[in-house]
Amino acid sequence: MDEDLVTRAIVVWLGWGRAAWPHRNEATLVAEFGTDVAVDVLPEVRRLEREFYMSDAWRVAPDLSTMGDQAAAEFRARHPEIGEDAVEALAWSYTFDYR
């Protein structure tokens, strides 16, 4: 799957830069990319989010900033193909959920 598309889809789906908190909104994917693309990319977006959340940084990090940095570093090591915007969006969501 196209890495740039997946990166953009993660950002849009989570609402990074658009919302006050992560919203995981499938309708925004459809609005941004159309139904066919949204249906194709959503499983990959969800899979990558699950992988990001496999980090145990929430248990060991002393604060939110360190937690997000640690989880992001682990994810980047496994997925260097995913753009930084998506990694930041995932870290934002992760730290929001584990605050």
Side-chain angles (χ1 to χ4, degrees):
M1 185 162 287
D2 179 77
E3 298 141 2
D4 291 333
L5 171 63
V6 173
T7 293
R8 287 186 12 235
I10 289 169
V11 170
V12 169
W13 182 66
L14 287 172
W16 173 243
R18 299 178 185 189
W21 57 84
H23 58 76
R24 296 168 181 91
N25 191 334
E26 295 168 18
T28 59
L29 281 180
V30 172
E32 185 83 15
F33 301 108
T35 302
D36 292 340
V37 173
V39 166
D40 287 344
V41 77
L42 185 59
E44 181 68 0
V45 167
R46 286 184 174 151
R47 183 186 72 77
L48 290 168
E49 182 195 38
R50 281 191 306 275
E51 236 184 270
F52 195 99
Y53 275 68
M54 289 170 56
S55 172
D56 69 348
W58 64 274
R59 290 184 202 182
V60 298
D63 56 51
L64 286 175
S65 179
T66 305
M67 178 189 355
D69 291 346
Q70 180 180 331
E74 293 168 10
F75 184 82
R76 277 187 206 99
R78 287 189 311 273
H79 293 287
E81 76 281 4
I82 300 300
E84 189 59 27
D85 286 347
V87 176
E88 288 178 18
L90 288 163
W92 168 66
S93 178
Y94 183 85
T95 57
F96 185 88
D97 289 345
Y98 287 115
R99 67 183 190 281

